[in-house]
Amino acid sequence: AITRNPFADLGSALEAEVNLPNNIKFTGIAQVGRKKGVMVSTPMGMDIFYIGQKVSDGFKIILIDTKNGQITLSNGINQTLVKLEED
């Protein structure tokens, strides 16, 4: 599991070429009990998205892997893996 300040900027790497806006940054993963959320920074501010919620351009979060610091997104046709990287 990633143990760091979730409000500090965190790099992320996409496994495939997707059309996610470059102004969206995945900054961390939070878990309270069994509920997992992804911290996302946009020009509008910071927000937490959960499995099943739409992040951008039709992409929804379908899996949050807290152990490996990975998020799987899908637009219904393509899936992409976002790996969070520690600074």
Side-chain angles (χ1 to χ4, degrees), residues 71-84:
I71 304 146
T72 304
L73 304 169
S74 175
N75 65 358
I77 298 169
N78 299 312
Q79 287 188 7
T80 189
L81 180 68
V82 177
K83 294 181 178 180
L84 299 181

Side-chain angles (χ1 to χ4, degrees), residues 23 36 63 65 68 86-87:
N23 62 353
K36 299 174 186 176
L63 180 68
D65 181 347
N68 295 311
E86 291 192 56
D87 294 339

Side-chain angles (χ1 to χ4, degrees), residues 39-72:
M39 300 177 118
V40 180
S41 175
T42 69
M44 302 299 283
M46 178 84 70
D47 206 350
I48 297 179
F49 292 86
Y50 300 97
I51 292 174
Q53 285 189 298
K54 190 181 292 186
V55 176
S56 176
D57 294 333
F59 280 91
K60 290 195 308 187
I61 298 170
I62 60 170
L63 180 68
I64 300 171
D65 181 347
T66 55
K67 182 178 178 184
N68 295 311
Q70 299 176 349
I71 304 146
T72 304

Side-chain angles (χ1 to χ4, degrees), residues 11-47:
S12 61
L14 294 174
E15 285 290 302
E17 279 297 315
V18 295
N19 294 325
L20 288 174
N22 60 2
N23 62 353
I24 291 180
K25 295 183 180 170
F26 297 92
T27 59
I29 295 174
Q31 181 171 352
V32 177
R34 293 183 181 203
K35 189 165 186 166
K36 299 174 186 176
V38 178
M39 300 177 118
V40 180
S41 175
T42 69
M44 302 299 283
M46 178 84 70
D47 206 350

